[in-house]
Amino acid sequence: MVNAGGSMDQPSGQRAVARCAELGRAPYSEMEGGLFRPYLGPSYRATCDRLATWMRAAGMTTRMDAAGNLLGRYEGQTPDAPVLLLGSHIDSVRDGGFFDGMLGVILGIEAVAHFAAAGRRFPFALEVIGFGDEEGSRFPSGMLTSHAVAGVLEPPDPAMSDWAETATLASALEGFGLDVGQMHKASRRGENVLAYVEAHIEQGPVLEAEGRALGVVSAIAAQHRYRMTLRGMAGHAGTVSMDLRRDALAGAAEIILAAERIGRAGTDGLVATVGSLDVMPGAANVVPGEVVFTLDVRAGTNAVRDRAAREILAVAQAVAKARRLELAISMQQDLDATPCDPRLTSFMEQAVRDVTGADPRLVVSGAGHDAMIMAHLAPVSMLFIRCAGGISHNPAESVTDADTDAALQAMIAFIGLFERPFG
């Protein structure tokens, strides 16, 4: 592994960390004093240009597909060789960390750079993919671009507006010379894609608590995400008596507490979260007349997730009826639990064992990843890297050079193990 005095000109965990940090500031961010890199924004363009430069330096040819994903290709031993895809996502949440998504893209580039420096080719091509829209931080639909690659994209609404209502999906794509009606052409169905492998920070505390640099993902949790709207009646805070109020915020608070209670009582990694709440009219002296909030329910199995979601939605309907509120519920995301491929998991376990000298920890990911969608196209595997305090989606997100170098060595070892059946 490289230490603090190692060369930054060579593929290494140290260089990967430094590159992620470089991409955490302008022009690669649209947020002053923090990181925000929305899909198809100016910072996204700048980031793709920088990543493409690094890809070409690592011996790859580069292109942008019809959905706005960035790809770098390192050819195999023959021009028509099948493909092993490595990668993660380029976009970020608002005020996010440097390593969520981006570290997986950079580690893919570093792995290819390692093999290119050695002049090593495989019976398959290596492609590094940077997905454009995993987070859904610009448009109200996450993982659009991995859906496109996997060939499972439902025709998107061209008039879908971004959260800031400054652009539509169609106009944003046009700015990159792309056509919303052609996004489906990013599909890799019918091509010989052997597998998709994603390295990612854990975004949880398990590896740190157990003193482990790396973990192997066995499955990705099932997820339901809803947008819920409660409508009551706005009124003067001083003149509307308590028994006559139709307070939308009080109703939302009751539902939120029920979601927490049901989430706490669950099994199999069940969690329930209300992460966004908009109150209208939002004045100190007005009874809230409307509240729009999100509900995110996740678990290790579809059955546990579905049961909890039904319970929470039943409470919401009961609360709305008792408080004389109108309730509207729309599903925003529906992701099934995704098991990682057993054969690839065994390769990744062996790779981690070879690098760390210890039996690897198998982890169920509570966070969603592009790998969930890519499983519709090809077998998937994921490698987790320890992050300080399990903190993610936060500027405090942090990894060490040593852990990242261990991840790079594990990726290199995995690719070597993946090659053996071709020998």
Side-chain angles (χ1 to χ4, degrees):
M1 297 181 190
V2 71
N3 56 34
S7 172
M8 288 292 284
D9 296 327
Q10 302 300 319
S12 67
Q14 181 187 19
R15 187 169 76 171
V17 171
R19 285 178 164 181
C20 288
E22 177 182 335
L23 296 176
R25 56 182 181 268
Y28 312 110
S29 171
E30 293 176 24
M31 178 179 176
E32 189 71 30
L35 174 61
F36 179 45
R37 186 164 44 240
Y39 174 49
L40 301 177
S43 62
Y44 183 79
R45 185 188 300 275
T47 301
C48 286
D49 289 345
R50 189 67 172 134
L51 288 170
T53 298
W54 291 332
M55 286 174 170
R56 289 190 288 269
M60 289 180 269
T61 57
T62 62
R63 68 184 178 91
M64 180 168 280
D65 70 15
N69 300 307
L70 178 68
L71 290 115
R73 182 180 175 95
Y74 181 72
E75 293 292 349
Q77 293 166 356
T78 60
D80 59 347
V83 175
L84 173 60
L85 278 171
L86 315 171
S88 191
H89 61 95
I90 294 173
D91 65 324
S92 82
V93 298
R94 186 176 294 277
D95 202 20
F98 294 168
F99 305 101
D100 175 20
M102 184 55 71
L103 183 59
V105 180
I106 297 294
L107 282 173
I109 296 172
E110 295 295 276
V112 171
H114 167 86
F115 292 120
R120 185 174 175 185
R121 300 278 177 177
F122 297 94
F124 44 83
L126 294 173
E127 286 194 20
V128 177
I129 185 165
F131 289 107
D133 175 57
E134 193 261 9
E135 298 288 5
S137 57
R138 182 173 187 186
F139 296 97
S141 182
M143 302 189 189
L144 275 171
T145 58
S146 50
H147 275 86
V149 173
V152 292
L153 179 68
E154 295 291 333
D157 178 4
M160 180 193 300
S161 177
D162 62 14
W163 294 113
E165 297 187 348
T166 58
T168 64
L169 179 60
S171 66
L173 284 164
E174 283 173 11
F176 278 70
L178 303 172
D179 181 349
V180 67
Q182 302 297 312
M183 283 186 75
H184 65 281
K185 291 188 176 180
S187 173
R188 304 298 292 270
R189 285 195 178 276
E191 299 182 31
N192 196 355
V193 177
L194 299 172
Y196 169 72
V197 182
E198 182 169 356
H200 204 284
I201 57 171
E202 182 193 3
Q203 301 180 282
V206 173
L207 296 178
E208 184 178 65
E210 296 184 2
R212 298 173 183 268
L214 306 175
V216 177
V217 178
S218 59
I220 305 169
Q223 179 182 354
H224 274 170
R225 186 178 298 167
Y226 302 90
R227 184 177 189 268
M228 304 176 70
T229 303
L230 279 173
R231 293 186 181 89
M233 178 65 72
H236 197 292
T239 61
V240 180
S241 63
M242 298 301 292
D243 59 326
L244 294 178
R245 292 189 178 192
R246 296 169 58 206
D247 187 330
L249 180 56
E254 193 172 343
I255 296 167
I256 292 167
L257 289 174
E260 181 187 45
R261 171 178 53 78
I262 291 166
R264 285 180 179 273
T267 59
D268 199 16
L270 176 67
V271 290
T273 306
V274 173
S276 173
L277 190 76
D278 292 324
V279 182
M280 288 155 281
N285 61 344
V286 180
V287 176
E290 181 175 304
V291 175
V292 179
F293 59 102
T294 57
L295 172 66
D296 187 304
V297 184
R298 308 185 193 203
T301 65
N302 289 0
V304 171
R305 172 205 61 187
D306 293 349
R307 183 166 57 248
R310 284 195 300 268
E311 289 181 29
I312 296 169
L313 296 183
V315 169
Q317 289 163 352
V319 168
K321 182 177 181 180
R323 290 180 172 272
R324 296 176 296 121
L325 304 171
E326 297 175 18
L327 173 64
I329 302 171
S330 64
M331 175 82 77
Q332 300 292 298
Q333 195 150 276
D334 180 4
L335 299 174
D336 289 341
T338 305
C340 290
D341 180 76
R343 184 175 70 97
L344 299 185
T345 298
S346 69
F347 289 165
M348 192 65 80
E349 287 181 278
Q350 184 60 52
V352 171
R353 190 177 295 113
D354 291 346
V355 170
T356 66
D359 286 337
R361 176 67 149 84
L362 287 172
V363 183
V364 174
S365 174
H369 301 283
D370 288 304
M372 302 179 76
I373 310 305
M374 292 299 288
H376 293 283
L377 175 71
V380 300
S381 178
M382 288 195 69
L383 175 70
F384 267 177
I385 301 116
R386 169 172 54 190
C387 57
I391 296 170
S392 183
H393 286 188
N394 185 303
E397 197 173 85
S398 178
V399 296
T400 68
D401 292 353
D403 286 358
T404 306
D405 200 63
L408 174 59
Q409 298 308 318
M411 291 285 286
I412 291 168
F414 173 91
I415 294 167
L417 292 166
F418 188 83
E419 181 191 25
R420 287 184 182 178
F422 292 85

